[in-house]
Amino acid sequence: MALASTQAAQARRQLVLNLFIYPGGHHEAGWRYPGARPERLLDITFYQDLARSAEAAKLDAVFFADGPAQVDNIRYASRFRLEPLTWLSAIAAATTHIGLIGTASTTYYEPYNLARLYASLDHLSGGRAGWNIVTTAVPQASANFGLAETPSHAERYARAAEFVDVVTKLWDSWEDDALVADPVSGLFADDSKIHPIEHVGRHYRVKGALNTPRIPQGRPVYVQAGSSDDGRSFAARYAEAIFTAHQTVESAKAFYADIKKQAAGLGRNPDHVKILPGISPYIGSTEAEARQLHEAFSDLIQPEYSISQLKQITGVDFSGHPLNGVVELDAFKDAGPAKLVASRFQLVVDIVRREKPTLRQLIDRLAGARGHYVVVGTPEKIADEIQHWFESGAADGFNVMPPWYAAGFDLFASQVVPILRKRGLFREDYTGRTLREHYGLPRPQSQFAEAARATA
Amino acid sequence: MALASTQAAQARRQLVLNLFIYPGGHHEAGWRYPGARPERLLDITFYQDLARSAEAAKLDAVFFADGPAQVDNIRYASRFRLEPLTWLSAIAAATTHIGLIGTASTTYYEPYNLARLYASLDHLSGGRAGWNIVTTAVPQASANFGLAETPSHAERYARAAEFVDVVTKLWDSWEDDALVADPVSGLFADDSKIHPIEHVGRHYRVKGALNTPRIPQGRPVYVQAGSSDDGRSFAARYAEAIFTAHQTVESAKAFYADIKKQAAGLGRNPDHVKILPGISPYIGSTEAEARQLHEAFSDLIQPEYSISQLKQITGVDFSGHPLNGVVELDAFKDAGPAKLVASRFQLVVDIVRREKPTLRQLIDRLAGARGHYVVVGTPEKIADEIQHWFESGAADGFNVMPPWYAAGFDLFASQVVPILRKRGLFREDYTGRTLREHYGLPRPQSQFAEAARATA
Ligand SMILES: Cc1cc2nc3c(=O)[nH]c(=O)nc-3n(C[C@H](O)[C@H](O)[C@H](O)COP(=O)(O)O)c2cc1C
Ligand SMILES: Cc1cc2nc3c(=O)[nH]c(=O)nc-3n(C[C@H](O)[C@H](O)[C@H](O)COP(=O)(O)O)c2cc1C
């Protein structure tokens, strides 16, 4: 009987929970909140401690966003970048189970270099690497790579598809049993199981093989975060986890249904594509306390920064606009979202249409988590929201985006996670060691091993 | 009096000692030697333990070579590659003082990406990063990067010079005091002290600034390992430490004198260019024991591998040649070293001219450390050699290249280092925390800060 109920609990669909780490916290004023430690923003032990807290709470992974340019207005906010591969390697050394997801750009990396970096992260972490595949929308990046202009959206996604093909071949190029390392016979590697990939495509020519044995996970976990039509079909084809931003459960449900359907249509198992919206929790022991916490953050906002962010997302400059003046939908009518992130633009327009906010209110809505879902309330309320999204086909789990560190996450770990656990929605402990095991994803075979077998 | 003698000891010129880590050891059969742990070759804790041993012996740095291709014959030797930046980041997390020098190619990296990786390594290690700047001579690399052929030697060095200029500007782009992070005023960074670099050159266009605050060391320590004329003049201009391979003290002295003179001629302080030949020690408690150790390694050599290595260095294929037949100087007369590493080729030809070896003997000479200086003897003899090179103008220190790990290094650390220390040639303990401090190198000013001051 006890056994049966344990098995039932194990069989129950489990939430995925990642900790999304952004220097200084996800609220744009997070670095200013009392208890935030701005003097430790470049101190690796601060992030190692955070990852250890996430691991103690049995989270699936920590996640770092990235982009190869200084984009945000750095004058008012802690918006520099931590290079994810190096940072995660040092975090790997301080942890044993938690997954390590880093972002890297298909537009601004060479496939051979990227394949090596992630292979190495997977080796040194014992199979915990995830790659958030982005094409880098921000126009500032291209000028750091000798390009006169940013490749178009379509061009970036075409390159991305070929890029993923190339690195997949590289990660497959050593079959699992190519490494022998037998000191007695003197055979180090069976070179008949190491395959030059001989890739020749429209954008890349890469001979291979990779110069490192196959990694514990076979391939890192493929994560994606595009929301455009191209982005969604790319994700449906390649991604094993998808990060996404939604303000409402309805919007998330539509996205969820679309992606799962597309994935199934491509012959994939929809369970192997985890949909993970962002959630930024402001937690209080009462509703009133939570609202106070949220207001304390609002009070720290610097409108110059928020207005520069709003311009970055929408292309519209609100510098002259009174903070207490209502934002008109008309303000966006001439903003061509062509070169911007269309889904993020749409999200702002939807807020304006739905809520008719003043500029101050709009800024406030975005300051918390750049358009991700913000929940203000008691631990129970936050757990209720998570469960509701999870059980109504809006999410397979969440990217948790604390407004500030470390306490902003510790509250979630100590107050919300135990409730989810009690409800049987989240693991008591890790049952595996790799990120694939945490996410319930299969370990891919090398395509060369299969080909070899098929022709044998 | 005690104080005076301490000061005298402190004032005495000190050796630099790096541990050069090569998977499986520097002897090509190192991975087969009893006690080597081939099953741990991809286990980061093995390398963390090694680095901790080196740190316990107060060495200056650990060093990883690199190249973006599978070059060596992997069938018989552990010659895959560990990606240095990730690997060193995980080693940084397990150590506190030792320097971390990684190799990366100016031919196959984008400057913005490389600048970020080393900046991050320097941040997360508290100022211990070194960059071994290579142009990558092996022809296999270009095919992994879409190039029809390898850029010429001259072209590679021309790109390298501009590349170093670009990344130097990127590392200088945030002045030291640009980061403010004052939660009270809300000023995160003084953006008047963050400089777009606006680089427009023959090979690179990079706008900048870097997206991370200035690093503890200002810039990573610049290391170089070229031996050609172009390589030497590049090193004399940019390098703060130079790795080099010499079979004799005379050859090393000529190299040393040349580089120091060139550096002085460029207005640099020659003490700020450390010349570090490789040394591979076979240590026994008696001469006979040391020779036995060396012979045990020779017995493990697999000639197929050695002959493929010899072909790689010289372009000459000795597959049909009897192992006991003498190698004629004539064999190399048609070998065009144009696309190979000329200095390494010359080193082999010099051995053949000087020693008239059989193929077996030649293979043996190269198997130990790919042409680096091999010393077989007691700890005293090895310390004597080191002191002799150090005091006769042949070296400022050494890259220690153990034939195998971990015992091959532990012997050096426990037997040779104490003798050097007793002779006053090597530190009792670290006096600083950064690699620049260990090497006695100044911390560079940001060029933008100086410019700003000059025009003020
Ligand atoms: C949670 C989340 C994280 C993201 N992180 C990054 C990132 O780190 N770097 C980046 O360039 N884009 C990031 N994006 C943006 C997308 O990856 C994508 O580049 C952008 O949405 C443009 O693609 P689309 O036009 O298909 O939407 C992120 C998006 C989301 C929802
Ligand atoms: C100790 C030492 C280590 C080296 N490590 C590397 C390396 O890791 N990667 C590489 O491409 N070349 C390496 N080299 C080779 C040189 O950096 C350089 O690329 C080569 O000598 C060709 O330059 P040159 O023609 O100026 O000699 C190394 C050389 C020495 C002496």
Side-chain angles (χ1 to χ4, degrees), chain B residues 180-450:
Chain B
V180 179
D182 175 19
V184 179
S185 71
L187 184 66
F188 186 74
D190 177 350
D191 46 2
S192 74
K193 295 184 173 171
I194 303 172
H195 306 274
I197 69 167
E198 305 287 0
H199 177 90
V200 180
R202 247 176 75 79
H203 303 91
Y204 301 103
R205 288 179 77 99
V206 180
K207 188 165 162 52
L210 202 62
N211 54 1
T212 196
R214 195 142 200 261
I215 63 180
Q217 293 191 111
R219 304 170 193 157
V221 172
Y222 291 179
V223 182
Q224 220 273 336
S227 299
S228 62
D229 288 347
D230 281 351
R232 288 174 185 219
S233 65
F234 181 92
R237 181 173 300 276
Y238 298 107
E240 299 174 294
I242 299 179
F243 298 159
T244 181
H246 297 277
Q247 288 283 331
T248 64
V249 68
E250 290 73 33
S251 155
K253 278 161 80 170
F255 181 84
Y256 188 101
D258 177 40
I259 295 282
K260 296 276 178 167
K261 195 177 142 205
Q262 286 198 46
L266 292 162
R268 298 185 62 198
N269 180 344
D271 290 345
H272 296 162
V273 188
K274 306 294 174 191
I275 313 277
L276 309 174
I279 186 168
S280 189
Y282 291 75
I283 304 169
S285 57
T286 63
E287 287 287 322
E289 208 183 285
R291 273 196 306 275
Q292 269 166 32
L293 175 71
H294 188 248
E295 274 156 29
F297 275 86
S298 298
D299 290 344
L300 293 172
I301 287 176
Q302 305 189 71
E304 298 90 320
Y305 177 80
S306 317
I307 286 169
S308 68
Q309 286 299 99
L310 193 54
K311 182 168 175 200
Q312 203 171 287
I313 299 173
T314 65
V316 182
D317 188 354
F318 284 91
S319 305
H321 197 285
L323 282 172
N324 293 323
V326 170
V327 173
E328 304 292 337
L329 206 52
D330 257 17
F332 302 99
K333 73 172 189 309
D334 296 331
K339 287 204 173 180
L340 307 163
V341 178
S343 58
R344 208 56 75 90
F345 174 82
Q346 199 52 50
L347 191 149
V348 174
V349 171
D350 288 347
I351 293 174
V352 170
R353 180 178 296 122
R354 215 168 43 233
E355 305 178 10
K356 307 196 191 334
T358 63
L359 180 56
R360 174 81 218 184
Q361 287 166 333
L362 179 59
I363 279 172
D364 235 58
R365 288 287 268 111
L366 297 174
R370 305 180 306 287
H372 285 268
Y373 183 46
V374 172
V375 210
V376 181
T378 61
E380 285 73 22
K381 175 175 166 186
I382 288 159
D384 289 348
E385 286 294 306
I386 288 175
Q387 182 165 7
H388 176 53
W389 286 46
F390 182 57
E391 292 182 344
S392 62
D396 295 313
F398 290 86
N399 261 339
V400 180
M401 303 171 62
W404 83 108
Y405 306 108
F409 175 67
D410 292 340
L411 274 176
F412 181 85
S414 63
Q415 309 279 316
V416 181
V417 170
I419 299 174
L420 297 170
R421 196 165 276 145
K422 204 175 292 166
R423 296 182 187 174
L425 299 171
F426 191 63
R427 67 172 67 84
E428 298 280 341
D429 202 351
Y430 296 108
T431 53
R433 287 296 287 263
T434 70
L435 179 54
R436 291 191 173 278
E437 287 167 337
H438 304 338
Y439 276 5
L441 297 169
R443 182 180 185 280
Q445 282 278 343
S446 161
Q447 60 195 286
F448 298 103
E450 288 171 58

Side-chain angles (χ1 to χ4, degrees), chain A residues 265-286:
Chain A
L266 292 163
R268 299 184 62 198
N269 179 343
D271 289 345
H272 296 163
V273 188
K274 307 292 175 194
I275 313 276
L276 309 174
I279 186 168
S280 190
Y282 290 75
I283 305 170
S285 56
T286 62

Side-chain angles (χ1 to χ4, degrees), chain A residues 288-341:
Chain A
E289 209 183 285
R291 272 198 305 276
Q292 266 165 34
L293 176 71
H294 188 248
E295 275 157 30
F297 274 87
S298 299
D299 289 344
L300 293 172
I301 287 177
Q302 305 190 71
E304 298 91 319
Y305 177 81
S306 317
I307 287 170
S308 68
Q309 286 299 98
L310 193 55
K311 182 169 176 197
Q312 204 171 285
I313 300 174
T314 63
V316 181
D317 187 354
F318 284 91
S319 306
H321 197 285
L323 283 171
N324 292 324
V326 170
V327 174
E328 303 293 335
L329 206 53
D330 257 17
F332 302 99
K333 73 172 189 308
D334 296 330
K339 289 204 171 180
L340 307 163
V341 177

Side-chain angles (χ1 to χ4, degrees), chain A residues 32 44 66-68 75 77 81 86-87 108 112-113 116 120 143-144 146 183-184 186 188 191 205 207-208 211 302, chain B residues 32 66-68 75 77 81 86-87 108 112-113 116 120 124 143-144 146 183-184 186 188 191 205 207-208 211 302:
Chain A
R32 300 181 66 191
I44 185 67
D66 196 48
R75 192 166 175 82
R81 289 286 187 191
T86 42
W87 221 252
Y108 301 111
Y112 202 89
N113 290 337
R116 296 186 67 206
S120 182
N144 290 334
V184 179
F188 186 74
D191 45 2
R205 289 178 77 99
K207 188 166 163 52
N211 55 0
Q302 305 190 71
Chain B
R32 300 181 66 192
D66 196 49
R75 192 166 175 80
R81 289 287 186 191
T86 42
W87 221 253
Y108 302 111
Y112 202 88
N113 290 336
R116 296 187 67 206
S120 181
L124 66 83
N144 290 334
V184 179
F188 186 74
D191 46 2
R205 288 179 77 99
K207 188 165 162 52
N211 54 1
Q302 305 189 71

